[in-house]
Amino acid sequence: MTTPSALPVAQLYQSCDPEKLPFLTTADLADLGEMIGQMRAMDAVRFGAGIRHEGYNIFALGPSGLGKRTMVHQFLEKKASSEPGPDDWCYVNNFAQPHMPRALRLPAGRGTALRAQMDQLIDYLESAIPALFESDEYRDKIGAIQDEFSKRQEQALGELEKQAHQQETVLLRTPGGFAFAPTRFHEIMPPDEYDKLPEKERKQIEEKIAGLQEQLEKILRRLPQWHKERTEHIKQLNRDTILSAVEHAMNEVRMAFSDLPQVLSYLDVVQMDVIEHADDFRKQEEQVAPGIAVLTAHEDFRRYEVNVLVSNGKHSGAPIVSEDNPTYSNLVGRVEHMSQLGALVTDFTLIKAGALHRANGGYLLLDVRKVLMQPFAWEGLKRTLKSREIYIESLGQAYSLISTVSLEPEPIPLNAKIVLFGDRMFYYLLQEYDPEFGELFKVAADFEERIERNPDNHLLYARMIATLVRQESLLPFDRGAVARVIEHGARMASDSERLSTHMGSVKDLLREADYWAREEGRNVVKAVDVQHSIDTQIRRQDRLRDRLHEEILRDTLMISTDGAVAGQVNGLTVLELGGFAFGQPIRITATARLGEGELMNIEREVKLSGAIHSKGVLILSSFLASRYAKNQPMALSASLVFEQSYGMVEGDSASMAELCALLSRLADVPVRQSLAMTGSVNQFGQAQAIGGVNEKIEGFFDICAARGLNGEHGVLIPAANIKHLMLRRDVVNAVNTGKFQIYAYEDVDQAISLLTGVEAGVARDGRYPEGSVNYKVAMRVAELAELMKAFSKHEGSRSKDGKDAG
């Protein structure tokens, strides 16, 4: 086994040569039509937007900042521009059931025209109908009807009076009604004279009056019928009078909408209602009472208005709607109320559209996190998608929280594509726990976070930078600045062979570089401005890192960077706070003694160890037993701990360091404290890649540099992490001058050899070379096993002697 050498500088940082970029500044580059590296996701969006079957809505998943919404919106804008515009939707009064307004569907722009026509119609009728009723012609007709029925009454009473006169009786009209009185010589007979008449004559007169009275009663019984007939004649006259005005005005509206049977049917109902409620148009005066709101006759005409819920006449193509506050009401619409005489009232004119109405016939873009955070919004959205109809219903009404009378508008058919944006966590959680989600969102558009790094993609990345520069109205970037942005893109991707597609971070870097270039009075952004932006971004967030490093340098946190100690290794951790990640060395120590094979993870014992960290410790325990105790008991007790760690420890990236600390303790071979290491170990002792390798190396480098680099300092990383190296310039320069080293190891043997300076040793015929680390560990394990065997015999003998003595 050979001990690996330090990595050359070329493997620590993959630079981008500006001379290989075929332009001088981004002003020379054409715009990039589509963001690079998102072909899979955009193919899914293209498919989801094109297929028109039910349930094929789109979920665009990926972390925020990738530009998902921008890319999807740009694609949909191109697609929607060639699609037919959706129809208008209006709500009108349902005269038969006012609490259930009717929905009218009209071609784009015709809804607004219908509303204007109806407003003009009502304004006309308000003035035309009272004028008709005040005309001389109408008064003459009313007078004729009144005269006709008055003559009929007078004629009947006149004939009765004539008949009474022939029978020497007169019909008297008194304030209390009608009465008959006997006459003599055409004069009413006084009561005293009537009393002096003979009984027989009085009886004859009474019989005559009784007969006349009977005829009078017949006439009086006919009077209500005559009044009713007169009223009906007047009503019919009013209808005919109004019809002459209304029908003429309505015909003009009918001609404008003669191609829409649904509108014509509605106009017929309006005409009938106007005629039935003609008196509303004849009331001209407002009733005013102290302390009471003024109710005008015009308010009665709200029932003839047209509530244009959605009008699409001003825009061509299918609508694209983004709802940033997707509450239940903002999605499905709402019915508003207004205060009137101390009470809340509503009608169909107060129905307001939701985002689903505005996006009907097009596309609705929503943030899934915001939808899920709003009460009932997710359930309301799913219900609408399943029924394919938009029901406007208040939450209080839906959940029986209120008992007031409300409206039940006719539902509107839904024909829209829903595009949800969110992190992958939301997508997988919804897939797992919401059985309806997979039926409603069948298209997943998974956006890439990074792309392959090669010369072709370098040029595409440069074009993307040029596009963003023009979109943000920034200064042009020269090719040196572009090359530095590309290199930083690899650093953001934590991979020298990949580039980050996190457009939010790239935009921020470009904006800040533009700022610093302008501060320096430059017309072109240079690499130094990009580097200044990177440095200031870190500077704004590195207070905690500086405080922790300060405590290490003051020896409050004990980290040794020189000397050698057995059972003690400098491990490396990464802390990430507020989007800023930095490395910090931490001391890992191990102890070993005679025992029964248990390996104590102190972090786990005090519940400060995460599941993955505990798994790593168990794996290294398995490795120890399989390598050094195949045919004998593992008669040791060992403990591992992260010194001065007072929070949770998670991840297995320190498991190799823990193993090396334990091997150092068992072999009693000191570990060089000028080195730190990171890496995960498997059951065969092989090194596995870990995350945050750049930050970990830089964290230890900063401590060593602050104390003074002496050429002995360095970091051990798994060989699988070489491709992830994109280290800071100062680290690369220190390696180049021989003041700092980066070692890549493949297994625990190489790691322990580097840490101790002693060969690990390769077993031959089941034995390790004498003096090697593995030999010393094996000897110590065998020694502990013999001690355990002897101890067990001694304990057994003492137990037997005690029993015999008893």
Side-chain angles (χ1 to χ4, degrees), residues 76 129 257 359 402 418 453 492 495 507 663 704 762 777:
L76 292 179
I129 291 177
F257 298 92
I402 58 174
I418 311 299
R453 185 179 176 188
M492 288 191 296
D495 194 327
K507 279 185 179 180
L663 293 178
C704 296
V762 178
V777 173

Side-chain angles (χ1 to χ4, degrees), residues 239-491:
R239 291 192 190 96
D240 295 341
T241 302
I242 295 172
L243 184 61
S244 63
V246 173
E247 192 168 27
H248 172 72
M250 293 293 291
N251 284 339
E252 293 183 4
V253 183
R254 287 190 178 96
M255 288 179 62
F257 298 92
S258 59
D259 56 328
L260 301 175
Q262 194 177 13
V263 176
L264 295 178
S265 175
Y266 165 69
L267 293 175
D268 291 340
V269 178
V270 169
Q271 179 173 308
M272 292 174 59
D273 190 81
V274 169
I275 294 171
E276 289 296 324
H277 297 85
D279 288 343
D280 293 344
F281 291 89
R282 298 175 63 183
K283 296 175 183 177
Q284 296 295 316
E285 297 181 357
E286 298 176 348
Q287 300 176 356
V288 183
I292 300 178
V294 178
L295 301 178
T296 66
H298 182 71
E299 290 180 342
D300 294 332
F301 305 144
R302 288 171 64 93
R303 63 181 182 272
Y304 304 120
E305 293 182 10
V306 175
N307 180 5
V308 181
L309 197 69
V310 179
S311 178
N312 296 292
K314 295 182 180 179
H315 307 284
S316 60
I320 303 173
V321 177
S322 294
E323 179 53 64
D324 294 327
N325 184 28
T327 63
Y328 177 85
S329 298
N330 287 351
L331 285 176
V332 303
R334 64 190 181 277
V335 178
E336 295 182 342
H337 294 74
M338 61 182 178
S339 178
Q340 191 174 92
L341 296 177
L344 293 177
V345 298
T346 187
D347 59 36
F348 73 96
T349 63
L350 297 177
I351 300 174
K352 303 301 179 183
L356 287 165
H357 295 99
R358 299 193 302 274
N360 208 0
Y363 307 89
L364 176 59
L365 280 52
L366 298 171
D367 186 314
V368 68
R369 179 177 175 272
K370 294 180 179 178
V371 176
L372 292 172
M373 287 180 66
Q374 295 294 340
F376 309 106
W378 178 245
E379 291 301 321
L381 177 63
K382 289 195 300 178
R383 185 185 70 171
T384 302
L385 292 178
K386 285 189 293 184
S387 64
R388 306 298 297 171
E389 290 183 325
I390 310 172
Y391 289 86
I392 300 179
E393 185 179 31
S394 70
L395 288 174
Q397 182 181 359
Y399 292 92
S400 301
L401 301 178
I402 58 174
S403 58
T404 56
V405 176
S406 187
L407 300 181
E408 299 178 21
E410 182 181 354
I412 291 176
L414 175 66
N415 177 28
K417 284 284 183 182
I418 311 299
V419 184
L420 291 181
F421 297 89
D423 291 341
R424 293 186 177 90
M425 177 186 68
F426 288 112
Y427 178 79
Y428 295 121
L429 285 175
L430 287 170
Q431 281 280 19
E432 182 69 21
Y433 294 107
D434 190 337
E436 298 171 330
F437 176 75
E439 299 175 6
L440 299 175
F441 292 89
K442 297 183 178 182
V443 181
D446 198 347
F447 283 78
E448 292 283 356
E449 298 167 65
R450 57 186 193 171
I451 59 171
E452 184 179 353
R453 185 179 176 188
N454 54 48
D456 291 338
N457 280 346
H458 278 185
L459 183 57
L460 289 175
Y461 213 78
R463 288 181 58 193
M464 180 195 72
I465 293 170
T467 304
L468 295 176
V469 164
R470 278 189 279 272
Q471 288 177 352
E472 299 291 324
S473 300
L474 306 179
L475 294 174
F477 280 54
D478 70 12
R479 57 185 178 182
V482 171
R484 186 65 189 93
V485 174
I486 291 173
E487 293 169 356
H488 189 66
R491 174 59 186 251

Side-chain angles (χ1 to χ4, degrees), residues 173-184:
R173 303 189 186 194
T174 67
F178 295 95
F180 289 98
T183 61
R184 179 166 288 184

